[in-house]
Amino acid sequence: MTAGRAVVVEGPGVFRLVPHTPRPPGPGEAQVRVQAVGICGSDREVFQGSRPEGYVRYPLTPGHEWSGTVAAVGDGVPAALVGRRTVGEGFRNCQVCERCHAGETTLCGAGYEETGFTLPGAMAPTLTLPARLLHLLPDDADPTAAALLEPAACVAAAALRAAVRPGQRVAVVGDGTLGMLAAQLLAASSPAELLMVGPDPGRSGLARTMGATAFRTPDEAVGEAGRYDTVVEAAGAPATARAAAALLRRGGRLVLTGIPAAGAAGLDPTDLVVRQLEVRTVFGATPAAWSHAVGAFAAGLLTPLPLVTHELPLDAFEQAIALVGSGDPDVGKVLLRP
């Protein structure tokens, strides 16, 4: 296998392309040949140095959203995995603490470790990781679309917590990648209405393609207050959590997935109590959420490909980071090809 090159972020604002030597898989591990790797706002935080302390470790090869093919396996891993298309979980966990045994692996008591943030990521020709983290895909799976299954798993966690029943009224706040993926997953529950709220009216057509029945800007959505059984917040902007709560009927359920910067407007505790709102939160994705996303993808209920607008070679890392932070409405999901 050709060694190729990998991205290494030495520290905030400093990166290099370095020769990559594939690491042979040890016992219980698999080596994946990376085919596509996505960039999101958290990768931009890593490059800029704005990711919270404890959630990044420099120097670092980023890349937590990826798809690839199993190239080799270590002892104790079925040889049949070699050649299979796959994606993989990023969160590492101890598997022995109380929370891991309960299936809440993103709350592992051993602390935070994640591929592409504290451990080497997929902006390289290969990635070696525990085979237990892999989720196999159909043989004909599109690797470009599959690279979006990591963010899809995060919103799948939100969809599971939302527990939408057929015929309910549902809203998604956020018209970015997470919001669009959330709309697809929630649409599979057959809601009576599926509203998407976002700042760019130009994305209303895409929103409907993804399963939304209506699109409103935040100003327009004020008129929708108090109508929805469940609202999934997938934007993380300073005011979106409060705006999402306002859409709920009394006794409604709010699921928060976005992570706003410090100083964001908080939820009103009086409003939560008086209207008896239920608030749930999501950070990352458990194995169950990954299985939900991969299953929906394999069944054709989740089609992320329309969200991809740019595919660049690995040496265009800095250009790709700039695109993600440009604010250009024509920039959707940006992928690198190692």
Side-chain angles (χ1 to χ4, degrees):
M1 181 182 294
T2 303
R5 295 192 294 173
V7 172
V8 173
V9 178
E10 299 284 359
V14 180
F15 84 98
R16 294 184 299 136
L17 285 167
V18 304
H20 173 72
T21 301
R23 181 171 73 79
E29 292 186 323
Q31 182 193 87
V32 174
R33 183 169 59 251
V34 180
Q35 293 175 279
V37 55
I39 296 180
C40 78
S42 54
D43 296 304
R44 189 164 177 262
E45 289 176 352
V46 167
F47 184 57
Q48 291 180 327
S50 57
R51 189 162 173 84
E53 185 178 356
Y55 290 87
V56 64
R57 187 181 302 137
Y58 300 105
L60 173 71
T61 293
H64 61 289
E65 304 178 2
W66 57 268
S67 66
T69 302
V70 179
V73 297
D75 291 343
V77 180
L81 266 63
V82 175
R84 292 294 306 272
R85 295 190 177 185
T86 190
V87 291
E89 299 174 31
F91 276 78
R92 307 298 175 94
N93 52 79
C94 72
Q95 295 188 293
V96 296
C97 72
E98 183 180 1
R99 296 274 58 80
C100 284
H101 280 310
E104 299 171 342
T105 53
T106 57
L107 298 174
C108 175
Y112 171 79
E113 295 284 354
E114 186 175 2
T115 299
F117 295 110
T118 63
L119 297 167
M123 292 187 189
T126 70
L127 173 66
T128 301
L129 73 167
R132 62 182 173 80
L133 299 178
L134 298 181
H135 288 260
L136 301 179
L137 304 174
D139 291 338
D140 61 352
D142 182 343
T144 301
L148 275 70
L149 284 174
E150 192 279 339
C154 293
V155 293
L160 291 174
R161 285 189 173 270
V164 172
R165 297 191 300 274
Q168 290 189 319
R169 295 184 299 274
V170 181
V172 175
V173 176
D175 60 9
T177 297
L178 291 179
M180 294 293 176
L181 293 171
Q184 282 202 331
L185 288 169
L186 293 167
S189 297
S190 300
E193 299 178 35
L194 179 49
L195 170 71
M196 180 171 288
V197 179
D200 183 6
R203 295 180 69 79
S204 62
L206 179 60
R208 291 178 185 276
T209 299
M210 294 291 154
T213 59
F215 185 96
R216 301 282 187 273
T217 65
D219 288 342
E220 292 169 340
V222 172
E224 301 283 340
R227 293 194 62 244
Y228 293 87
D229 300 293
T230 303
V231 178
V232 174
E233 188 281 326
T240 49
R242 182 168 288 194
L247 293 170
L248 286 167
R249 63 163 173 81
R250 295 185 66 196
R253 177 176 299 155
L254 174 64
V255 183
L256 301 175
T257 68
I259 304 176
L267 298 175
D268 180 354
T270 302
D271 182 55
L272 297 180
V273 173
V274 171
R275 292 205 291 140
Q276 300 182 63
L277 302 183
E278 179 183 349
V279 180
R280 299 182 176 185
T281 62
V282 169
F283 178 61
T286 62
W290 272 93
S291 293
H292 186 57
V294 170
F297 178 71
L301 298 173
L302 181 65
T303 55
L305 194 60
L307 303 178
V308 178
T309 59
H310 294 76
E311 297 181 62
L312 302 171
L314 197 64
D315 58 10
F317 168 74
E318 193 166 16
Q319 177 188 349
I321 290 290
L323 280 170
V324 170
S326 68
D328 186 339
D330 293 329
V331 175
K333 197 65 186 177
V334 178
L335 300 185
L336 293 177
R337 294 283 190 174

